[in-house]
Structures are given as structure tokens and as C-alpha cells.
Amino acid sequence: MIRIIYSWKVAPENLDAFIKTWTRTTNKIHEEVKGAQGSFMLQGEADGSQIKTIAKWDSLEDWQQFWNDSKPTQMQSMHDLGERVSVEIFKEVDDFTT
């Protein structure tokens, strides 16, 4: 398993629309793309415009296939509402969340 951490900067006036768009986008990816295991979103406490979306994938290869094939279309509506600041890839070592 891997986790992809996307960092976003979202203006306050776009936040509600960004959350709704992210919800639709991440659910569609989870349902339709091989290896996609879902995602969750975090919002900065001190700066509410800082957003992290953390996606879980079966393998780096599955994510790379998605990223190379679908990046421009699947996530475009999110880019219309916020600025993606970074993308980081981490191997999942363990997970004790439920």
C-alpha cells in the first residue's frame, strides 16, 4: 500500500465547492480506477486555506497508471477551485486506524 499526499491552497470563497468537488472526484476514482482505495481530507487549523488530501492505493504502479492516464481530466475541476502545491508519495508501513 502507498499513500499519496496532495497539498492544496484553496481560497475561502472556493472551499465549499472544492470539498463537494473533491468528494465526487475521489468517490468516482475509488469506484472506477484499479488500485484506488479511497481518500480523506484534512484542513489546516491555523490556516483553513491549507488542505491535504491523502489517497490510499494498492501499489505505486496502480497510482502511476492513473496519474499518467487521467491526471488532466479526473482532477481538473479541483484545479479550477484550488492550487495544488505538492504531491508526495509514501509507503504505508502500518495503519492502526479503523
Side-chain angles (χ1 to χ4, degrees):
M1 293 285 177
I2 63 164
R3 300 285 181 144
I4 308 297
I5 302 175
Y6 302 92
S7 296
W8 299 86
K9 184 80 168 173
V10 181
E13 63 271 15
N14 291 339
L15 187 58
D16 287 341
F18 183 87
I19 292 168
K20 289 176 187 172
T21 299
W22 170 83
T23 299
R24 283 191 310 272
T25 301
T26 199
N27 286 330
K28 184 175 181 179
I29 292 168
H30 184 220
E31 292 170 2
E32 297 178 359
V33 179
K34 177 185 175 287
Q37 296 298 318
S39 183
F40 63 93
M41 180 186 288
L42 303 171
Q43 181 180 25
E45 179 65 29
D47 180 356
S49 69
Q50 291 184 349
I51 302 294
K52 304 277 188 195
T53 57
I54 303 171
K56 185 175 186 176
W57 288 83
D58 286 340
S59 70
L60 179 59
E61 294 77 19
D62 287 339
W63 177 78
Q64 286 173 326
Q65 184 70 41
F66 161 75
W67 192 250
N68 292 332
D69 290 351
S70 302
K71 179 177 61 168
T73 56
Q74 292 270 11
M75 298 175 79
Q76 184 57 50
S77 54
M78 292 171 61
H79 289 273
D80 293 342
L81 296 166
E83 174 192 357
R84 189 181 64 228
V85 177
S86 66
V87 177
E88 299 175 281
I89 303 168
F90 290 86
K91 291 179 186 177
E92 185 176 303
V93 176
D94 217 336
D95 182 357
F96 292 103
T97 62
T98 55

